[in-house]
Amino acid sequence: MSIEFSLRSGDPSRLGTPLLAVALPSDRAVPKSLSALDKSLGGAIARVVRSKDFKGARDESLLLLNAGRGPERVLLVGLGAAPDHNAVTRAAGVAGRRANAMGVRTMAFWAEDLTTARLENAVIGLSLGSWDYAELRTPNKDKPKPLIGATLCVTSTVGTKAAFNNGVAIAAGQRIARTLGAMPGNVCTPDHIARTARDVGKRHKLKVTVLGRAEMKRLKMGSFLAVAQGTPQDPKLIAIEYKGGRRGEAPIALVGKGLCFDSGGISIKPADRMEWMKFDMCGAAGVIGAMEAIARMKLKVNVVGLIGSTTNMPSGTAMNPGDVVKAANGKTIEIINTDAEGRLVLADVLTYAERFKPQAVVDAATLTGAVVIALGNIHMGVLGNDQGIIDEVLAANARGGEPGWQLPMTADYKEQLKSDVADMRNVGVRGAGTITAAHFLSEFATNFKWAHLDVAGTAYSEIDLVMIPRGPTGVPVRTFVEFVRGRAR
Ligand code: BES
Ligand code: MN
Ligand code: ZN
């Protein structure tokens, strides 16, 4: 389901809309710019603020009905104390979700000083909060339908159009990523991932290359192919090239793990909650979503999106624990646990990235359960081989409202990857699984500056996240976009 956004200047009190959301910071008097609206509501806003029926706390909301002209309903949403630009995303998200629950199809949003980052975030928040994956449900007349239109109320459309457009671009990228994430594994196959990448390519005239099993064999991608040998579905290595920068300028490479289902393989996972492993392609979805956003934003930079997509299945042809395979860069890997498959796929995709001579490589992967234990659903794990690029990622995390936290990748952790028979094994022996996984990847990121995002806890959530219901979150689209924007001309 898509949503149309529009920009409108002038006083919100005269807006004919079923719902106007008004974002207010905590414990502050009603701003002057709202006096007309408040008057049309008979002074209700000032009254609920004074009586503390509405305190403006984060995630708080209060619905007021309007008997007169203008908006039919006014939803006050709290921004919290000392709100930063990300508070607007959250308040708009809460408003978008409430709109869906109410069943209104269009709404408007107002906040003070809705310019630049705050305006961009208001668009993104409304989209995040109202997004719904209904494609596989039989339409139900009794169930409210999601929002299809939202108007951003600004003081002036002069100088706000660019931020508005960027918000719409990023929101579109997130919606692609979340839809791919929500799709079950029998619908979102490696083939479907490739098709979606081609769609983005067609829309924006980007070069899209798709390699299958045969091409990967020719490139000696024994690590990726070891994972794919257990499934009859053709694995896909996808490259999407966006050229917004100078000719010949080294691109940024965005790399994503695209496991359309991860059963664990022969080292099979427990049955309980195994269905969540359809989300094991959220890194890839983040790459496709980011490419869509970057192309829409026309960022002046070259970017290549790279995806490794397959499924990890137990079968008579599957890889076995103890097997040794040779990756495309010539290194041999002893497979101790077939459930550590993401790193095997990414190993060869990272080697493939070398041919683009990238200025920087950032990969995102739902790589380890350990990162969920360490950081939960809030921060993604950030690691890499260069502190400068890690700092850039952390700054992108903060700008994009997708928090990240660096984990220590000191050499001591790497000891665990020593193998008796091969150059390395694919798992460590004990704790710090996120760090040993990153150390494994670093063996294939030797020729460029690289950062790794472990988004296993953040790309989707098993719990409700206030502005986002449980399921796919759109992470890491914004982190990718902000990283790229930070390097654009
Ligand atoms: N896709 C999983 C990681 C994962 C686990 C994501 C839970 C989201 C929630 C990955 O392929 C995996 O199975 N990792 C193993 C590695 C282990 C065998 C070293 C893990 O984390 O348990
Ligand atoms: Mn696994
Ligand atoms: Zn996996």
Side-chain angles (χ1 to χ4, degrees):
M1 184 61 77
S2 65
I3 181 169
E4 280 295 320
F5 287 100
S6 56
L7 197 57
R8 190 184 183 281
S9 63
D11 196 304
S13 69
R14 279 189 291 221
L15 205 58
T17 174
L19 177 69
L20 170 67
V22 170
L24 293 170
S26 62
D27 299 319
R28 212 131 16 96
V30 181
K32 277 222 172 60
S33 40
L34 281 185
S35 9
L37 179 70
D38 195 26
K39 197 177 278 169
S40 81
L41 286 160
I45 302 178
R47 253 190 340 267
V48 295
V49 167
R50 217 179 309 117
S51 66
K52 298 211 184 287
D53 284 294
F54 177 79
K55 298 191 194 71
R58 192 170 86 139
D59 302 337
E60 184 186 359
S61 64
L62 181 72
L63 186 68
L64 304 170
L65 295 180
N66 186 8
R69 294 195 303 134
E72 289 167 39
R73 305 169 186 83
V74 173
L75 181 73
L76 304 180
V77 284
L79 285 164
D84 63 357
H85 67 282
N86 288 319
V88 180
T89 320
R90 183 131 173 156
V94 167
R97 243 190 122 174
R98 285 288 304 269
N100 267 16
M102 279 179 225
V104 301
R105 305 306 306 275
T106 61
M107 69 177 290
F109 183 87
W110 182 94
E112 209 163 25
D113 187 28
L114 212 50
T115 56
T116 56
R118 287 162 54 88
L119 175 57
E120 197 175 297
N121 283 346
V123 175
I124 291 166
L126 290 167
S127 171
L128 280 175
S130 64
W131 177 84
D132 179 49
Y133 180 68
E135 273 78 343
L136 300 179
R137 248 183 271 132
T138 305
N140 181 343
K141 276 201 265 6
D142 303 328
K143 208 184 167 262
K145 293 202 176 82
L147 198 67
I148 51 168
T151 300
L152 283 293
C153 302
V154 294
T155 313
S156 164
T157 53
V158 178
T160 50
K161 195 80 189 155
F164 170 80
N165 287 340
N166 286 341
V168 172
I170 293 167
Q174 289 176 319
R175 293 174 92 89
I176 290 175
R178 287 176 84 184
T179 301
L180 286 172
M183 289 174 129
N186 62 330
V187 179
C188 182
T189 57
D191 218 52
H192 180 79
I193 300 250
R195 213 172 314 129
T196 310
R198 283 206 186 93
D199 285 348
V200 173
K202 228 169 260 152
R203 204 155 38 244
H204 303 289
K205 299 194 173 66
L206 316 181
K207 181 177 174 194
V208 177
T209 311
V210 179
L211 309 187
R213 206 187 294 270
E215 290 89 351
M216 285 189 245
K217 263 188 197 143
R218 245 171 270 138
L219 292 170
K220 298 189 165 31
M221 296 188 163
S223 186
F224 188 154
L225 287 172
V227 178
Q229 77 189 40
T231 171
Q233 295 185 41
D234 200 38
K236 302 291 181 197
L237 194 163
I238 305 156
I240 314 167
E241 294 173 67
Y242 168 77
K243 297 196 171 91
R246 292 194 185 88
R247 273 191 66 183
E249 190 180 84
I252 298 166
L254 306 176
V255 176
K257 170 180 174 181
L259 266 287
C260 293
F261 185 68
D262 175 16
S263 71
I266 297 295
S267 314
I268 197 163
K269 289 179 182 294
D272 187 39
R273 297 190 307 166
M274 201 204 268
E275 71 277 12
W276 287 87
M277 281 302 124
K278 72 171 182 177
F279 288 113
D280 213 17
M281 33 55 65
C282 282
V287 169
I288 296 179
M291 296 307 290
E292 170 76 20
I294 289 162
R296 282 186 185 231
M297 291 162 86
K298 300 192 171 63
L299 294 180
K300 293 195 163 95
V301 60
N302 294 334
V303 185
V304 55
L306 297 169
I307 288 163
S309 184
T310 184
T311 61
N312 186 21
M313 300 303 287
S315 81
T317 61
M319 60 178 170
N320 288 324
D323 286 358
V324 174
V325 297
K326 191 185 258 190
N329 69 348
K331 290 184 182 170
T332 57
I333 304 161
E334 182 186 10
I335 295 161
I336 300 298
N337 190 319
T338 67
D339 199 9
E341 86 297 339
R343 65 198 73 180
L344 295 174
V345 168
L346 290 177
D348 284 337
V349 182
L350 287 170
T351 298
Y352 189 76
E354 280 181 20
R355 70 181 56 213
F356 296 95
K357 300 191 171 55
Q359 53 171 288
V361 178
V362 184
D363 84 73
T366 46
L367 205 64
T368 65
V371 84
V372 192
I373 302 297
L375 302 172
N377 298 111
I378 309 300
H379 287 80
M380 64 180 78
V382 181
L383 309 96
N385 64 7
D386 177 83
Q387 191 57 42
I389 185 173
I390 289 170
D391 288 339
E392 269 180 86
V393 167
L394 293 170
N397 285 143
R399 283 200 306 277
E402 294 182 347
W405 202 265
Q406 185 178 3
L407 297 177
M409 232 180 110
T410 52
D412 287 333
Y413 292 103
K414 201 170 183 173
E415 296 297 313
Q416 298 182 22
L417 293 177
K418 283 189 174 144
S419 164
D420 295 338
V421 297
D423 294 336
M424 70 194 95
R425 40 200 277 166
N426 76 330
V427 298
V429 285
R430 267 178 292 144
T434 307
I435 298 170
T436 49
H439 266 304
F440 180 92
L441 293 180
S442 74
E443 288 291 316
F444 305 89
T446 49
N447 291 326
F448 41 69
K449 291 180 178 175
W450 158 78
H452 162 61
L453 317 176
D454 195 331
V455 294
T458 48
Y460 68 91
S461 173
E462 299 192 27
I463 56 169
D464 192 289
L465 292 175
V466 182
M467 71 163 166
I468 292 175
R470 68 180 185 168
T473 59
V475 170
V477 170
R478 291 201 75 183
T479 301
F480 275 155
V481 170
E482 289 304 327
F483 181 87
V484 168
R485 178 149 61 170
R487 283 188 173 218
R489 252 187 300 136

